[in-house]
Amino acid sequence: MSDEGQRLPVTTDQDVVRVRQAVRTFSVAVKLSLVDQTKLVTAASELARNTLVYGGGGEVVVTRVQNERRAGIKIVFADEGPGIVDLTLALTDGYTTGGGLGLGLSGARRLVDEFEIDTEPGKGTTITITKWCR
Amino acid sequence: MPLSSDEASRFADLLKEHAESLTARWVELAGASLRGRLSSAELRRQLDDLRKGFEQAMRSGSAHLTDEGSAELRAQLAEISGHRARQGFSATETAVSIFALKDAVLEALGNGDDAGTLRDYVAFSAFVDRAALFTFDSYVQVRESLIADQAEQLLELSTPVVKLWDGVVAVPLVGTLDSARAQVVMERLLQTLVDTGSPYAIIDITGVPAVDTQVAQHVLKTVVAARLMGADCIISGIRPQIAQTIVALGIEFGDIATKASLADALRYVLNKTNRSLNTKRTER
Ligand SMILES: Nc1ncnc2c1ncn2[C@@H]1O[C@H](COP(=O)(O)OP(=O)(O)O)[C@@H](O)[C@H]1O
Ligand SMILES: [Mg+2]
């Protein structure tokens, strides 16, 4: 079961800030702990920035989700950029093609409960993350 | 329908012959919508200049506002628009006072209601419309640059570098640290280090809601730059949730000293400086 999500475009730096703010609002609403809020907001910041920088812009959808036991937040980051050719490499700590710290993808994966990448060279990248209330 | 050169010159004559009454009427019409926020003497001066501008454009046979002969008029329109933008008038108010010229001209044309006059008037009217829209565009441009200026000032304001103690400067980071702000922070911190000759800098991140890899990278770069200038940096204000997130992300601050609060950081620095004073004393 899920509520209707919030859709946010990601085409500017300011949009990345908006994504963080939306994720913060959702996190407070489902009563994530302060640590989990911070982790999710930070993961969202990393992935939204990748959508902007490497994906050439795209879209983020934030949704409140619910299973039998817990509430949570699901966030989808989608772009139609170049895709990721070597996923293992991209997920390696310290690997970057853009002069970053190379910890965005791998770090974001450690910050959430569920992490899924769907990417195809030339087609784009969609990353779905979920964080559940404890 | 553009103005023919014939029509244009007839309007130039009209604008000249009826100069006084036209300007007077225009001031009256435009003044009504500006509701006395501009002195009527100033409005008269502006509009009479503009009337001359229109006259000149017509005299040179300008069919379009974009023509060479209208260059002077365009400059005048841009200037008025910029003026009004700074005085806080809306773009519409500015455009409306240009539109008012049409009414003033229509009245000056009087009862010459034959088809020729009508066609002339429609063409002239379209020219004035363009002029009004032009002020609209330049108004928006001026407002945008005003806003950009203010944003820049705000940026400077929101990154104060303070001298905390003799030999210790501090920069409290607040809000989101995007690349533009990070650049400003770094420059100001380095400049303050030079100005004060301080050997210590405290970067306080209490006010940063989320430390992602971009923020971390900016902070790390600033620390390295400060080191090159001989200053030691301490990062303070690392709250528990931030600390856990940084660890999970895999960010390493290496040998950079980090403290929970600004007070802790200051205590740490003072301890270090005391100790070095003490060692110097015992060496003697
Ligand atoms: N949405 C994306 N589209 C294409 N490539 C991506 C995308 N996200 C990440 N990458 C690739 O994965 C690499 C690692 O990303 P990340 O871990 O966030 O590090 P960084 O952003 O510091 O480069 C990037 O340098 C880039 O080559
Ligand atoms: Mg990244």
Side-chain angles (χ1 to χ4, degrees), chain A residues 45-47 49-50 53-54 96 100-105, chain B residues 213:
Chain A
S45 185
E46 293 300 338
L47 300 176
R49 187 162 303 285
N50 283 353
V53 175
Y54 301 111
T96 176
L101 291 181
L103 293 168
L105 272 185
Chain B
T213 60

Side-chain angles (χ1 to χ4, degrees), chain B residues 75-241:
Chain B
Q76 284 181 321
L77 290 167
E79 196 192 312
I80 284 203
S81 190
H83 237 71
R84 299 260 177 109
R86 271 180 274 273
Q87 287 171 324
F89 289 98
S90 75
T92 306
E93 282 170 327
T94 305
V96 162
S97 56
I98 306 296
F99 283 135
L101 173 62
K102 298 199 291 185
D103 291 310
V105 166
L106 189 60
E107 287 172 25
L109 281 172
N111 42 19
D113 53 358
D114 56 281
T117 311
L118 193 62
R119 196 165 39 238
D120 284 2
Y121 179 70
V122 168
F124 179 72
S125 168
F127 188 88
V128 175
D129 288 347
R130 286 261 137 249
L133 290 177
F134 182 82
T135 65
F136 212 93
D137 280 349
S138 36
Y139 178 97
V140 171
Q141 274 166 25
V142 170
R143 287 300 278 200
E144 263 163 20
S145 72
L146 281 179
I147 289 166
D149 283 355
Q150 281 162 355
E152 210 159 281
Q153 284 166 15
L154 215 61
L155 203 66
E156 301 248 317
L157 278 180
S158 56
T159 53
V161 179
V162 292
K163 190 173 162 191
L164 206 57
W165 205 271
D166 199 28
V168 189
V169 299
V171 52
L173 301 181
V174 179
T176 57
L177 194 67
D178 54 26
S179 298
R181 279 217 27 223
Q183 188 62 30
V184 174
V185 169
M186 172 136 81
E187 279 167 17
R188 300 195 82 193
L189 179 62
L190 299 182
Q191 190 55 47
T192 312
L193 285 176
V194 173
D195 294 346
T196 60
S198 302
Y200 290 101
I202 301 174
I203 301 174
D204 186 76
I205 59 169
T206 310
V208 182
V211 178
D212 58 11
T213 60
Q214 195 191 32
V215 171
Q217 192 175 27
H218 287 316
V219 171
L220 289 169
K221 277 186 181 158
T222 306
V223 172
V224 171
R227 269 193 187 159
L228 284 175
M229 299 181 51
D232 233 347
C233 284
I234 296 95
I235 301 170
S236 73
I238 303 185
R239 289 158 294 154
Q241 65 273 26

Side-chain angles (χ1 to χ4, degrees), chain A residues 20 24 34-35 38-39 41-42 45-46 49 99-101 103 107 110-111, chain B residues 176 209-214 216-217 220 241-242 244-245 248-251:
Chain A
R20 278 205 295 265
R24 174 81 67 185
L34 188 54
V35 173
T38 309
K39 286 183 174 177
V41 168
T42 307
S45 185
E46 293 300 338
R49 187 162 303 285
L101 291 181
L103 293 168
R110 288 187 289 264
L111 289 170
Chain B
T176 57
V211 178
D212 58 11
T213 60
Q214 195 191 32
Q217 192 175 27
L220 289 169
Q241 65 273 26
I242 300 283
Q244 291 181 58
T245 305
L249 264 179
I251 295 167

